[in-house]
């Protein structure tokens, strides 16, 4: 199908499609290690576009702890070969479409998580680059009223929050405790529990300076972990959502028959490990909540970091103190 000539392509979008160069700037590493292994490559190959893929001109990308863990070599056994261009989260503009792509065209503003399974053969050429190739099914329309910086911070975090709550059996009238409520995932887990699932009570943990933020996000109970141990408090929850790695303590505060979903660290029964899967339709289903403002992206105020400052941005993310998402833009 000749997309460049389709009636709905704007002249600007068509021009952009014709301007795709052969090489691009990209951050890459050819060894595993700390953030210093990352190098800015001036002329990396622009990835080829598969039949079911689109090429996205990256406007903004966000960092996730999984990028840092992957770079450190934690998933070597199932990683794609080096050199790696990191980055799972993207927001940008479609500039080229594969032959089997039906729903997207050049000029469309999209966002998504670029690898379906983050730990099993993730893409070698990620989103910390001027262009990235992504399966159409992993992308969604960028929500109206959400800018590229905000959109880039959403995919991994909101998919993790949504699928994790779903797997834990979250439903209207249930109570939930979110461990790590001020992080990328936790800030969305609080909002989704309240706004999408209709939780009867949302509690969350963070350090002192972030307690007001937890309340603004919709937490009914905000627990300052520098002052109280949540596992020693009398309250029990239907669902505990662990975004910190406190699976051993999390199981102490779940009700009989409740669920403990563990994103990281050791799992203590009845807690269970959950790993996110990328999916554009889930993002599409969540778009109305983002467009109405019921669910708000939380971008760390230290950012967005310009493309030249990716190493600094990783160092900041890796302090474990980020508030919401660490975003890279413009790219
Ligand atoms: P972030 O880097 O965004 O989390 C940072 C936040 O964690 C900070 O705001 C910090 O708040 C908070 N935090 C740190 N320690 C504690 C603590 N002891 N109690 C409460 N809050 C704490 O990370 P993400 O939200 O992106 O990810 C969270 C974890 O989940 C990571 O380990 C990540 O790898 C994992 N993950 C797993 C996925 C999966 O599919 N299994 C998917 C996505 C993420 P403060 O400064 O107040 O301490």
């Amino acid at each position: 199908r000749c997309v460049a000539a389709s009636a709905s392509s704007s002249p600007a979008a068509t021009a952009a499609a014709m301007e795709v160069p052969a090489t691009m700037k990209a951050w890459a590493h050819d060894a595993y290690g700390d953030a210093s292994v990352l190098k800015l490559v001036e002329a990396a190959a622009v990835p080829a576009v598969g039949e079911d893929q689109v090429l996205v001109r990256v406007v903004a990308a966000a960092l996730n702890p999984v990028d840092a863990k992957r770079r450190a070599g934690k998933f070597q056994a199932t990683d794609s070969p080096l050199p790696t261009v990191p980055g799972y989260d993207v927001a940008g503009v479609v500039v080229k479409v594969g032959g089997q792509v039906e729903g997207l065209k050049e000029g469309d503003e999209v966002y998504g998580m670029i690898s379906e399974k983050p730990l099993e053969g993730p893409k070698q050429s990620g989103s910390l680059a001027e262009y990235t190739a992504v399966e159409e099914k992993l992308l969604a329309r960028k929500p109206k009223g959400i800018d590229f910086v905000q959109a880039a911070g959403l995919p991994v975090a909101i998919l993790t929050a949504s699928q994790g709550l779903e797997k834990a059996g979250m439903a209207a009238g249930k109570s939930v405790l979110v461990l790590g409520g001020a992080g990328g995932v936790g800030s969305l887990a609080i909002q989704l529990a309240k706004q999408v699932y209709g939780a009867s009570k949302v509690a969350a943990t963070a350090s002192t300076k972030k307690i007001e933020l937890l309340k603004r996000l919709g937490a009914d109970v905000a627990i300052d972990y520098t002052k109280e141990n949540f596992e020693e408090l009398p309250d029990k929850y239907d669902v505990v959502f662990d975004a910190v790695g406190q699976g051993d303590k999390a199981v102490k505060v779940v009700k009989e028959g409740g669920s403990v979903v563990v994103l990281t660290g050791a799992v203590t029964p009845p807690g269970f490990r959950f790993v996110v899967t990328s999916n554009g339709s889930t993002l599409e289903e969540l778009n109305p909540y983002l467009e109405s403002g019921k669910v708000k992206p939380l971008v760390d105020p230290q950012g967005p970091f310009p493309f030249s400052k990716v190493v600094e941005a990783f160092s900041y993310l890796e302090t474990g103190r980020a508030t919401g998402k660490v975003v890279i833009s413009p790219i």
Side-chain angles (χ1 to χ4, degrees):
R1 156 176 119 94
C2 180
V3 179
S6 91
S8 51
S9 274
S10 71
T14 307
M18 292 159 70
E19 280 167 19
V20 176
T23 63
M24 63 178 185
K25 286 187 188 169
W27 283 92
H29 58 94
D30 55 15
Y32 291 112
D34 65 18
S36 68
V37 298
L38 285 162
K39 304 282 177 260
L40 181 58
V41 179
E42 293 289 334
V46 170
V49 183
E51 289 286 286
D52 60 343
Q53 293 183 325
V54 304
L55 188 67
V56 177
R57 168 76 183 90
V58 181
V59 178
L63 307 187
N64 285 282
V66 65
D67 287 300
K69 294 174 187 177
R70 180 184 176 200
R71 194 203 60 224
K74 237 188 132 186
F75 311 120
Q76 267 185 65
T78 53
D79 203 353
S80 50
L82 293 167
T84 300
V85 174
Y88 291 90
D89 272 335
V90 71
V93 180
V94 173
V95 292
K96 200 171 174 183
V97 300
Q100 286 165 17
V101 169
E102 290 178 345
L104 291 175
K105 60 183 186 313
E106 281 121 350
D108 284 349
E109 299 182 346
V110 293
Y111 76 124
M113 170 180 168
I114 68 150
S115 288
E116 188 164 18
K117 305 238 180 235
L119 313 182
E120 296 162 42
K123 289 199 172 71
Q124 193 174 9
S125 201
S127 60
L128 288 172
E130 290 178 305
Y131 296 90
T132 195
V134 194
E135 289 76 3
E136 176 183 30
K137 67 176 184 180
L138 305 185
L139 293 170
R141 283 177 309 106
K142 183 170 74 66
K144 293 184 191 73
I146 300 292
D147 65 26
F148 284 102
V149 167
Q150 295 171 316
L154 285 165
V156 169
I158 204 167
L159 288 169
T160 304
S162 166
Q163 294 170 2
L165 288 169
E166 196 69 34
K167 287 245 156 60
M170 192 63 207
K174 288 193 177 181
S175 59
V176 60
L177 170 63
V178 178
L179 302 177
V185 176
S187 60
L188 287 158
I190 294 171
Q191 295 185 76
L192 296 190
K194 200 81 188 177
Q195 301 293 340
V196 177
Y197 288 91
S200 58
K201 181 168 90 170
V202 179
T205 60
S207 60
T208 313
K209 283 185 188 154
K210 296 173 177 172
I211 292 302
E212 281 312 311
L213 168 68
L214 297 183
K215 292 183 182 159
R216 283 202 300 281
L217 292 167
D220 305 295
V221 180
I223 303 167
D224 181 345
Y225 71 78
T226 69
K227 297 187 177 144
E228 291 181 296
N229 294 322
F230 69 85
E231 72 278 13
E232 289 166 5
L233 299 174
D235 296 334
K236 302 277 181 272
Y237 301 88
D238 295 305
V239 171
V240 184
F241 186 100
D242 175 17
V244 173
Q246 298 176 314
D248 52 342
K249 294 173 183 168
V251 294
K252 295 183 181 163
V253 295
V254 71
K255 284 183 189 168
E256 184 81 39
S259 317
V260 178
V261 53
V262 177
L263 300 186
T264 185
V267 176
T268 305
F272 63 90
R273 155 86 68 247
F274 156 75
V275 180
V276 64
T277 303
S278 178
N279 184 346
S281 1
T282 306
L283 294 177
E284 289 286 355
E285 284 166 24
L286 291 166
N287 273 356
Y289 295 94
L290 294 158
E291 291 177 343
S292 69
K294 283 191 171 163
V295 174
K296 294 188 177 70
L298 180 61
V299 175
D300 187 285
Q302 301 276 327
F305 291 80
F307 195 48
S308 58
K309 298 278 188 223
V310 162
V311 174
E312 290 83 349
F314 263 115
S315 301
Y316 176 58
L317 175 83
E318 288 171 64
T319 64
R321 298 277 86 81
T323 303
K325 295 303 305 179
V326 176
V327 180
I328 310 296
S329 189
I331 294 181

